[in-house]
Amino acid sequence: MSSKRTAFATVLGVAALALFADPALAYESTTEELIRSLNTQLLYMAIPITVLVEGILVYTVWKYRKNDDPKPTKENRRLEISWTIATALVLLVVGYASYGVMADSYVSQAQNDIEPNQDAVEVEVVGQKYLWNYNYQGEDVSATGTLVLPKGQNVYLNITSTDWLHAFHVPELGLKQDAIPGQHNVIKTKLTETGTYQLYCAEYCGVGHSKMLGKVEVVSQQEYQDWLDEQQSN
């Protein structure tokens, strides 16, 4: 029993450490960082559990491979209690880690929490067959195809549609939200790396669905202000 308890304790210890372990990677947005960090933590927890379970399975098959007269296993109350408690603790750790991410406003934005602060950028993203339009709130600027956003500021994207079900999806930034006619669904994020990222429609919307593409261009705050000034002067 001592070796079994040691194995269970090792698995739980690795699971607990996984909550705080995250490789030093460069993330393009706070949303992507939260999601990918959670995936990494869950992977760290799943690997030792998988190795332990599969190791026990392989060991058992090998040890009893020549047993021509198998007998029912005897009740082992300690073992049953141990793996029940271990499973419950692992689920608690997974639930705690997942709730911390899913409850974050950069991942799950509640409909009644859509008021950006004074320094935030707010853009209405409108999907229609088969393109994306962007209306920059308070700036009297509209654009099509390429969504220009500043690095290092909170961004609120109000996603809607004029005609059909669409879905705003930028995988590299960890952003995805449904575009529904007559309804605004909010994405809140903060972009941390400059660059150009591919935008897709992730909801089949007709014969032109595969061509409903766009770009998200993340620039410095000065470049963003220069772009706004240029658009307003046109």
Side-chain angles (χ1 to χ4, degrees):
M1 283 301 300
S2 177
S3 60
K4 294 184 178 69
R5 285 197 296 268
T6 301
F8 280 124
T10 301
V11 171
L12 293 176
V14 172
L17 287 174
L19 284 175
F20 307 99
D22 187 28
L25 300 175
Y27 297 102
E28 279 71 24
S29 72
T30 52
T31 306
E32 185 205 13
E33 179 179 3
L34 287 165
I35 294 172
R36 291 191 181 276
S37 295
L38 174 61
N39 288 341
T40 301
Q41 292 167 1
L42 296 182
L43 180 63
Y44 287 164
M45 286 186 274
I47 288 175
I49 294 173
T50 301
V51 171
L52 174 63
V53 172
E54 294 303 316
I56 293 173
L57 177 62
V58 171
Y59 169 77
T60 303
V61 170
W62 176 262
K63 181 176 181 180
Y64 298 103
R65 69 190 186 283
K66 296 181 181 180
N67 188 350
D68 297 326
D69 185 25
K71 300 184 184 301
T73 56
K74 297 180 181 180
E75 178 182 355
N76 189 326
R77 188 168 298 177
R78 287 185 178 180
L79 181 59
E80 292 178 1
I81 291 174
S82 297
W83 71 42
T84 300
I85 293 175
T87 302
L89 290 176
V90 169
L91 291 176
L92 285 173
V93 171
V94 171
Y96 175 78
S98 301
Y99 178 78
V101 172
M102 296 305 298
D104 194 286
S105 63
Y106 286 111
V107 176
S108 298
Q109 186 69 17
Q111 287 299 108
N112 59 356
D113 185 24
I114 61 175
E115 295 184 5
N117 58 39
Q118 187 175 3
D119 297 328
V121 174
E122 185 178 7
V123 183
E124 182 187 44
V125 179
V126 183
Q128 68 179 78
K129 297 180 180 180
Y130 294 100
L131 51 83
W132 296 99
N133 296 311
Y134 317 109
N135 302 315
Y136 291 76
Q137 305 301 300
E139 301 291 351
D140 193 27
V141 171
S142 296
T144 299
T146 299
L147 175 61
V148 179
L149 296 172
K151 171 186 173 182
Q153 283 184 258
N154 279 332
V155 174
Y156 288 75
L157 303 177
N158 299 301
I159 314 297
T160 189
S161 170
T162 60
D163 52 19
W164 200 253
L165 295 178
H166 303 283
F168 178 91
H169 185 32
V170 189
E172 291 178 279
L173 299 178
L175 306 179
K176 188 176 184 181
Q177 187 59 271
D178 291 334
I180 302 173
Q183 176 178 320
H184 283 77
N185 294 322
V186 180
I187 295 176
K188 176 187 176 183
T189 192
K190 181 183 289 185
L191 306 166
T192 55
E193 295 290 335
T194 58
T196 302
Y197 307 96
Q198 184 66 58
L199 163 62
Y200 301 90
C201 176
E203 187 76 37
Y204 181 70
C205 54
V207 294
H209 167 69
S210 62
K211 297 180 181 179
M212 190 171 174
L213 304 172
K215 298 286 186 182
V216 177
E217 185 176 349
V218 182
V219 298
S220 68
Q221 295 187 23
Q222 183 59 54
E223 289 175 313
Y224 175 70
Q225 188 58 52
D226 292 343
W227 179 82
L228 286 178
D229 294 341
E230 180 182 350
Q231 297 301 309
Q232 291 167 347
S233 63
N234 291 338

